[in-house]
Amino acid sequence: MRFTPASIALAALLTTVSSMGLSQRPDNQISPRSIEWQKAGEAARKAGNLAGATDALESALAVDPRNRAAYVDLAEVARAQGLQGKAIRLYKEALLLDPTDVVALAGQGEAMMEKGAVARAKEVLAQAQKLCKADCAPVGQLAAAIQKGPPAVAMTTKDAVPSPKGETTEQP
């Protein structure tokens, strides 16, 4: 009688734990609907419809947040829109799912170069080179981007940057 409550609690725990394992899918099985949305987003990106690509890729991630390729494609869309910070975050999400994804790692490094983070991009290049023993195209693209250097920021007019206090400055 003393062990009855403990045995009931243990039985309930084992039932719950064993049933949770039956309802979960393995990590390598991505939902087919998510893959369809991802392909639609990739097609929209290639067609130049960045807003449509973003919508489709976000739908793919809503259906299955383990779709690493959708994160990478969405990051490429963000880079095309000039949102390098968002792209870096999206590449990081893809790398959380698979830390050995060379495409995501190289893309993250290229986005860092576009943002001007040269030192961090070199660290990412070193990581990618460790992962890719053979000649990898994404690693070569990242190395070329680092060799080229960060993009130059061009000012269109002299008055493009406001003064810190909002005051007008005299011009010579």
Side-chain angles (χ1 to χ4, degrees):
M1 287 300 263
R2 292 189 325 192
F3 297 110
T4 303
S7 62
I8 291 173
L10 184 60
L13 177 69
L14 290 175
T15 304
T16 305
V17 171
S18 65
S19 67
M20 283 186 349
L22 295 175
S23 64
Q24 292 181 349
R25 293 180 306 204
D27 287 342
N28 60 358
Q29 288 182 348
I30 305 296
S31 169
R33 284 187 3 191
S34 178
I35 293 172
E36 288 174 19
W37 278 110
Q38 178 208 346
K39 289 181 181 180
E42 187 177 346
R45 180 179 57 90
K46 288 180 181 176
N49 182 5
L50 298 180
T54 300
D55 291 342
L57 291 167
E58 286 177 350
S59 296
L61 291 172
V63 171
D64 194 344
R66 293 173 293 131
N67 190 343
R68 182 174 34 89
Y71 279 113
V72 172
D73 288 345
L74 191 57
E76 290 175 10
V77 170
R79 281 181 56 201
Q81 293 173 331
L83 304 171
Q84 281 71 28
K86 181 178 180 180
I88 291 168
R89 183 182 54 80
L90 290 166
Y91 284 125
K92 184 178 179 181
E93 291 291 329
L95 289 169
L96 287 174
L97 294 171
D98 182 11
T100 62
D101 187 355
V102 177
V103 174
L105 198 57
Q108 185 182 42
E110 287 181 42
M112 288 176 179
M113 278 303 297
E114 291 167 3
K115 195 167 174 101
V118 179
R120 183 67 181 119
K122 287 181 180 179
E123 291 173 12
V124 170
L125 176 63
Q127 285 179 313
Q129 287 173 336
K130 286 179 188 175
L131 291 174
C132 189
K133 303 297 181 191
D135 186 31
C136 295
V139 175
Q141 290 173 344
L142 175 56
I146 290 173
Q147 186 73 26
K148 182 180 171 185
V153 178
M155 289 182 55
T156 56
T157 65
K158 193 172 186 177
D159 298 337
V161 178
S163 65
K165 295 182 183 179
E167 301 171 356
T168 56
T169 57
E170 294 181 25
Q171 293 184 6

